[in-house]
Amino acid sequence: MNDCHYPLRKSPHCYALTRASDQWLSDVAQLVEPEIRGYLDMNTGTLAALCYPDGDAFHLQVCREHIDWAFIIDDWMECGVVDVQEAHESCILALRDPINFDPEQVGAKMCKSFSNRFMEAAGHGCRERYIHANELFFAAVAKQLDDRAKGNTYDLQYYISLRRDLIGLKPCFALIEFVAGIDLPDEVVSHPVFKAMENAANDHISWVNVILAINIVAVLMHDRGLDLQGAMDCAGQMCKDAIQRFESNRDILPSWGEEVDKQVAIYVEGLQNWIVGSLHWHLSCPRYSVAPDRIVKLLPKRPL
């Protein structure tokens, strides 16, 4: 956390977002106690308010509903509550055609609840990037579950590549454009320096997430033969390196002309908001059980 010096800002709509999230989890996601309690305590309204601090109430509501849906559908796929392929197909259909598609699955109904508002307000490029990013997320979940069933283990580089899609941040990055009312040209989003910045932001947020969930620690212990403390130190250095990569690529971003450069600057600030906002949210979220002293207690090493 000491290596992340970006300013932390929070939308004034935070309280309203949280109240709306509580209602959405009950009415649309159809969750009840005790399952709903874990999602209520996550306070995704605060996450949206921290990561999109300049958004108005309309755009933030869509972002918050996406975040709630992403956590819920991910948990359901992980636990086998829903079939990954069926969830993939029905949710993408709901995102692409929210007016005419009438889903039966609750997961797809959740998508439909916000996708019409998103599709109407987002630019064409932003819409396509958002949907494609969600397809990558579903594919990564399917790959992880298949590997787990087969007993496959990961080396670090493969885990990094898979994790960039598995954590589901790429759709959230597309929502930066949606909130700001911009639609970046293809020549920008395909540029290697721009993509390197996105990967650096994705990696930092992902490493914070998996350090607190202990996943990356297990991978590092297995891949590099480290003990617990060595793996934690290595993971912390990976977070620091991600910030450095983000900044070094920011310094060498090319120019695409005054108007496009303004949009790029807004998007880059959005990535920055996600880095710092999600960090603070993770440290206060009961889902990740961080003690007040920020000491993470680890279990003894065991085979992967």
Side-chain angles (χ1 to χ4, degrees):
M1 185 171 180
N2 292 335
D3 296 312
C4 185
H5 302 294
Y6 303 132
L8 179 69
R9 298 185 296 121
K10 183 165 67 174
S11 167
H13 301 292
C14 183
Y15 177 73
L17 277 173
T18 300
R19 292 292 300 273
S21 176
D22 294 353
Q23 195 66 43
W24 188 89
L25 290 170
S26 174
D27 294 348
V28 181
Q30 301 176 22
L31 299 180
V32 295
E33 295 287 0
E35 184 183 15
I36 195 173
R37 178 50 47 192
Y39 297 105
L40 291 172
D41 291 344
M42 281 172 57
N43 199 356
T44 55
T46 295
L47 177 60
L50 291 172
C51 294
Y52 307 104
D54 297 314
D56 61 25
F58 169 82
H59 290 85
L60 283 175
Q61 185 69 15
V62 173
C63 294
R64 198 274 313 153
E65 289 177 18
H66 163 84
I67 292 170
D68 276 335
W69 164 77
F71 274 113
I72 294 168
I73 201 69
D74 184 45
D75 288 346
W76 286 356
M77 291 188 294
E78 281 277 329
C79 298
V81 175
V82 297
D83 178 78
V84 177
Q85 187 59 35
E86 290 180 2
H88 182 168
E89 292 175 357
S90 62
C91 287
I92 295 301
L93 280 172
L95 292 176
R96 286 201 175 277
D97 190 9
I99 296 177
N100 297 311
F101 180 58
D102 188 17
E104 296 181 1
Q105 286 196 353
V106 176
K109 289 181 179 179
M110 286 189 277
C111 283
K112 182 170 181 171
S113 74
F114 62 80
S115 58
N116 188 44
R117 284 169 285 150
F118 168 77
M119 295 294 280
E120 286 183 348
H124 174 75
C126 174
R127 293 197 301 268
E128 290 303 311
R129 281 187 284 277
Y130 173 77
I131 292 173
H132 179 62
N134 277 298
E135 291 183 313
L136 293 175
F137 162 68
F138 280 111
V141 172
K143 175 61 176 171
Q144 182 189 52
L145 293 178
D146 183 62
D147 286 338
R148 186 180 299 165
K150 294 176 179 177
N152 296 339
T153 56
Y154 303 137
D155 62 36
L156 181 60
Q157 289 307 310
Y158 182 83
Y159 182 76
I160 289 173
S161 177
L162 180 67
R163 187 69 190 172
R164 285 173 179 164
D165 292 325
L166 189 63
I167 194 173
L169 281 168
K170 291 179 180 180
C172 296
F173 290 172
L175 291 175
I176 294 172
E177 295 181 72
F178 166 70
V179 171
I182 60 176
D183 197 17
L184 295 171
D186 289 342
E187 60 265 29
V188 172
V189 298
S190 63
H191 194 280
V193 175
F194 185 89
K195 294 180 75 67
M197 284 197 71
E198 287 187 317
N199 284 339
N202 193 327
D203 288 347
H204 185 276
I205 300 163
S206 182
W207 299 150
V208 169
N209 176 274
V210 295
I211 287 172
L212 295 177
I214 314 302
N215 296 354
I216 189 63
V217 175
V219 172
L220 287 167
M221 291 172 68
H222 174 78
D223 186 69
R224 299 189 177 181
L226 299 172
D227 61 14
L228 290 173
Q229 188 58 54
M232 288 295 287
D233 291 343
C234 184
Q237 184 61 46
M238 289 169 64
C239 288
K240 183 176 181 179
D241 291 345
I243 292 284
Q244 292 174 341
R245 281 189 287 121
F246 183 80
E247 288 301 324
S248 63
N249 281 286
R250 189 209 294 257
D251 290 341
I252 60 172
L253 271 173
S255 174
W256 289 275
E258 183 178 355
E259 288 304 312
V260 174
D261 287 354
K262 289 179 181 178
Q263 293 187 38
V264 172
I266 291 170
Y267 184 83
V268 170
E269 184 178 6
L271 294 176
Q272 178 179 294
N273 289 333
W274 255 99
I275 291 172
V276 66
S278 65
L279 173 60
H280 284 262
W281 176 81
H282 271 99
L283 293 174
S284 63
C285 179
R287 184 182 178 99
Y288 302 100
S289 301
V290 179
D293 57 10
R294 293 179 181 163
I295 295 175
V296 179
K297 295 179 174 61
L298 303 179
L299 297 173
K301 181 179 180 180
R302 62 184 182 185
L304 289 179

